[in-house]
Amino acid sequence: MNQRSILIIYTGGTIGMLADPRTGALRPMDLAHLEEQVPELDRMNVRLGSRSFETPIDSSDMRPADWVRIAQIIGEDYESYDGFVVLHGSDTMAYTASALSYLLEGLNKPVILTGSQLPIGTIRTDAKENLITAIEVAAACDEHGRATVPEVAVYFEYSLYRGNRTVKVHAERFEAFRSPNYPRLAEAGVHLKYDRSAILPFREGPLKVHEHMNDQVGVIRLFPGIRAEWIRHALSTPGLRAVVLTTFGSGNGPTDPAFVAVLREARERGITLVNATQCFGGQVEQGRYTTSQAFVELGVLSAKDMTVEAAVTKLMFLLGQGLGTNELVEGFGTSICGEVTA
Ligand code: ASP
C-alpha cells in the first residue's frame, strides 16, 4: 500500500508556544519547527504536510469563522491527503470538533484534533505523544486503504474520542477530555485498540464543506434563584435566534410563573429554546418531573444526551443553513454525525 499522507493544520494553542512559555508568544508553526521539536516524526512511515493559521490563536479567541476556515483548509486539501491532524488549544477544542463534524458533510477521512497542556518544547510536554499518536490514528486504514476513523475525533492523553461528544474536564491534568455519554473510539497503550463498534462506518461519496454558521445563539445557565428579569433581558437581545438553557438534572427548571412567562414570551417572538442538562453525564427527559413540564408545553427542544458544546454549535450550523422553524426543530432532533443518541 502507498505511504499514507497526513496534513497537519496548526491553529494555535499551548502546543505551539515556543521555549519561553512565560511570554505566551505564539508564532506560526511549520513542519520544520515540528520536526525540530519532535525528531521522531522523521521515522514515521507517513508523508507529512503542514499548513498554519497566519496568526495562530489561543483557542479562547476561536470564532465560528475560524471553524469554517479550518473546514475550508481541509476541503482545499482533501484529495491530496489521507487524513488531517488539527493542532488546537484545548480550551475550546470540544466546540471546534463539534462544529467541524457538522461542517464537513460526507467526511470519510480522519480529522483528528489534538493539542497539549504543556508547550511542545518543554521537557515534560504531553505534546509529543499526543501529536505522534494523532498522526498514527489519522493514517490508520484497512487493507483497501479505507480510513479506520472516518470522522472528526479528539485525541488526548492515550484516549481517542468522538469530537462532538467531548468536553474539557480538567484545567491542569494531561487527561483533559472525556466523552461522558459515548464510549472512547480508541485507547492507546502498547497497542492502539480501536472500538470499531463505536466508530462511524466508512461511507463512499464526496465531501461537502459547509461555510455558514449563524452566531445569533446564546446559552443561559440556570441556578437556584435566577431572576426572571435577567433572563428576559438576555432573551430580548436584538437578532437572537436560539438559546440553550442549561438545566438541572434530567432537564428541570424552576416552576416560578415569572420564569415560565419569560420563556413563553421568547417562544412567541420565535426564539428557539433548547434544554441541555448541566450534568456531566446522562440525558434530558422532559416531562419526567413536574419541574420540566413547562418546557414540554412551551415546545422547548430537548438536547437529550448532547453536550452543551455540541448543542450550541449545532444550532449555529442549522441556523447557518437558513432553515425555517419546522426544519430547525426536525434538524435539531436528528443526529447529523453521532452527536446525539437516536
Ligand atoms: N489556553 C490554551 C488554548 O486553549 C490552552 C491549551 O492550548 O491547551 O489555546
Side-chain angles (χ1 to χ4, degrees):
M1 186 174 311
N2 292 340
Q3 193 183 40
R4 304 291 276 178
S5 55
I6 304 299
L7 181 67
I8 299 175
I9 303 166
Y10 176 57
T11 68
T14 298
I15 192 165
M17 286 183 176
L18 293 177
D20 184 4
R22 281 171 306 136
T23 65
L26 301 177
R27 73 166 198 212
M29 189 157 62
D30 59 14
L31 203 51
H33 172 68
L34 272 180
E35 279 168 348
E36 191 183 300
Q37 298 295 333
V38 192
E40 294 87 342
L41 292 179
D42 261 358
R43 305 212 311 266
M44 294 182 82
N45 183 25
V46 174
R47 178 175 71 81
L48 294 175
S50 70
R51 287 183 65 173
S52 172
F53 270 19
E54 260 174 43
T55 310
I57 52 177
D58 186 287
S59 75
S60 299
D61 282 326
M62 278 278 165
R63 301 171 63 95
D66 298 306
W67 304 332
V68 169
R69 184 65 201 123
I70 300 169
Q72 286 169 331
I73 292 174
I74 292 168
E76 286 157 15
D77 280 311
Y78 199 64
E79 296 312 323
S80 313
Y81 290 91
D82 297 307
F84 302 83
V85 170
V86 180
L87 301 182
H88 191 290
S90 61
D91 290 350
T92 68
M93 189 182 283
Y95 289 89
T96 301
S98 301
L100 288 178
S101 74
Y102 309 136
L103 290 168
L104 298 169
E105 185 182 334
L107 181 76
N108 60 15
K109 297 185 179 183
V111 172
I112 313 298
L113 285 90
T114 193
S116 64
Q117 297 278 59
L118 283 174
I120 203 158
T122 55
I123 295 183
R124 290 183 54 250
T125 187
D126 50 331
K128 283 190 180 189
E129 197 283 320
N130 285 348
L131 174 62
I132 289 170
T133 308
I135 293 172
E136 253 193 70
V137 171
C141 64
D142 67 12
E143 64 279 18
H144 307 292
R146 289 186 297 226
T148 304
V149 184
E151 60 174 294
V152 178
V154 165
Y155 180 77
F156 230 85
E157 192 65 6
Y158 305 116
S159 292
L160 183 74
Y161 304 100
R162 171 162 300 158
N164 56 31
R165 292 288 193 153
T166 53
V167 245
K168 184 172 181 184
V169 294
H170 212 283
E172 290 167 34
R173 286 197 187 138
F174 288 155
E175 202 185 352
F177 286 87
R178 287 283 164 77
S179 63
N181 284 333
Y182 199 74
R184 274 186 294 197
L185 304 187
E187 191 183 348
V190 172
H191 303 287
L192 250 171
K193 279 197 193 146
Y194 293 97
D195 177 351
R196 283 167 206 276
S197 65
I199 298 172
L200 288 177
F202 180 90
R203 58 241 127 127
E204 295 290 351
L207 175 76
K208 175 165 187 215
V209 178
H210 293 273
E211 302 191 332
H212 298 285
M213 298 289 277
N214 183 330
D215 65 1
Q216 296 286 3
V217 171
V219 177
I220 296 177
R221 182 181 170 95
L222 301 187
F223 54 88
I226 190 167
R227 298 186 67 93
E229 308 96 90
W230 187 90
I231 303 180
R232 174 177 287 116
H233 189 74
L235 290 174
S236 307
T237 305
L240 186 69
R241 297 287 308 279
V243 168
V244 177
L245 300 166
T246 69
T247 56
F248 312 126
S250 57
N252 306 313
T255 52
D256 172 14
F259 170 76
V260 176
V262 163
L263 299 190
R264 179 169 295 113
E265 285 164 24
R267 292 288 300 125
E268 284 165 3
R269 290 200 308 279
I271 293 180
T272 298
L273 297 177
V274 165
N275 180 351
T277 177
Q278 292 174 15
C279 289
F280 177 62
Q283 63 171 314
V284 167
E285 287 177 74
Q286 291 191 150
R288 180 163 159 210
Y289 291 91
T290 42
T291 44
S292 62
Q293 199 52 48
F295 296 139
V296 178
E297 282 151 23
L298 294 174
V300 174
L301 306 180
S302 170
K304 299 184 195 155
D305 64 350
M306 256 184 262
T307 62
V308 173
E309 291 87 334
V312 171
T313 51
K314 188 170 182 177
L315 285 171
M316 289 183 178
F317 171 73
L318 294 173
L319 289 168
Q321 309 313 299
L323 301 188
T325 311
N326 292 344
E327 293 164 311
L328 184 64
V329 171
E330 191 176 324
F332 189 80
T334 310
S335 167
I336 298 176
C337 46
E339 74 281 3
V340 62
T341 305

